Amino acid sequence: MDRIIEPITRLVEAGGPVLVAIALTAMVMFALGIERLLYWQRRYRNRRRALIERWQARHDHVSWSARTLREYWCQELLTSLRSSLPWLKLLVAICPLLGLLGTVTGMIQVFDALSLTGLGQARSMSDGVARATLPTLAGMAVAVVGLLFTSRFEFLVRREDQRLHDRLARAVEDRHA
């Protein structure tokens, strides 16, 4: 157990408390991503199938009210699919800001140490700068991964929107054929 905790403790000491905040943000982002994946695989497909069956069971498919109802049902289903997307985007936006906060607080510590020890300690200054840039690196890395996930998820939702409308139209054609 000590072998697992020791590297984490050293990393937190090297990056400061802001690195812990970035790690927690990354965990929340990862948890939201896993939740969306599970929702997509388990609940969404069943709800989509029920929507298609409900649309097929209707007798009227061509009137304005029927098309409006179909659009409402589709948007309701897709809204449930998009529900955590604003939170993911918020967390992606927060990560670089947390990294910048870590850099600023780290540089304040470097300048504070320089004022106490004097300008002759180049080694302590370089260690402090390295410590100050670690949160920036972590914040940007987490943000890039989160950005890749959110852009892919938005693409999947847009594609699913088109496929849902196509499936509903095809379901009516198959029923009348």
Side-chain angles (χ1 to χ4, degrees), residues 26-126:
M27 285 185 230
V28 170
M29 199 180 332
F30 183 71
L32 284 173
I34 294 290
E35 184 271 335
R36 283 292 90 188
L37 178 66
L38 292 174
Y39 177 80
W40 180 283
Q41 290 179 344
R42 300 225 167 99
R43 287 202 64 206
Y44 176 76
R45 289 180 179 169
N46 293 335
R47 291 183 67 194
R48 180 182 60 200
R49 191 176 312 113
L51 173 70
I52 292 170
E53 290 170 0
R54 188 170 31 164
W55 178 247
Q56 282 179 325
R58 287 185 50 88
H59 296 291
D60 178 24
H61 296 108
V62 293
S63 71
W64 176 84
S65 61
R67 290 175 188 251
T68 303
L69 182 63
R70 181 182 81 174
E71 188 61 32
Y72 174 76
W73 285 348
C74 288
Q75 290 308 314
E76 184 180 42
L77 186 61
L78 291 170
T79 299
S80 71
L81 191 58
R82 289 186 185 108
S83 67
S84 67
L85 196 56
W87 291 106
L88 284 167
K89 287 181 177 182
L90 176 70
L91 292 173
V92 166
I94 285 175
C95 283
L97 297 175
L98 286 173
L100 183 61
L101 177 65
T103 299
V104 169
T105 57
M107 290 307 291
I108 288 172
Q109 290 173 354
V110 167
F111 292 136
D112 189 40
L114 282 176
S115 69
L116 294 175
T117 61
L119 296 174
Q121 298 289 337
R123 175 77 177 148
S124 66
M125 186 172 131
S126 65

Side-chain angles (χ1 to χ4, degrees), residues 8-22:
I8 295 171
T9 305
R10 282 194 316 217
L11 187 63
V12 169
E13 288 173 0
V18 175
L19 201 59
V20 174
I22 293 171

Side-chain angles (χ1 to χ4, degrees), residues 125-138:
M125 186 172 131
S126 65
D127 287 343
V129 170
R131 180 180 178 175
T133 56
L134 187 60
T136 302
L137 173 68

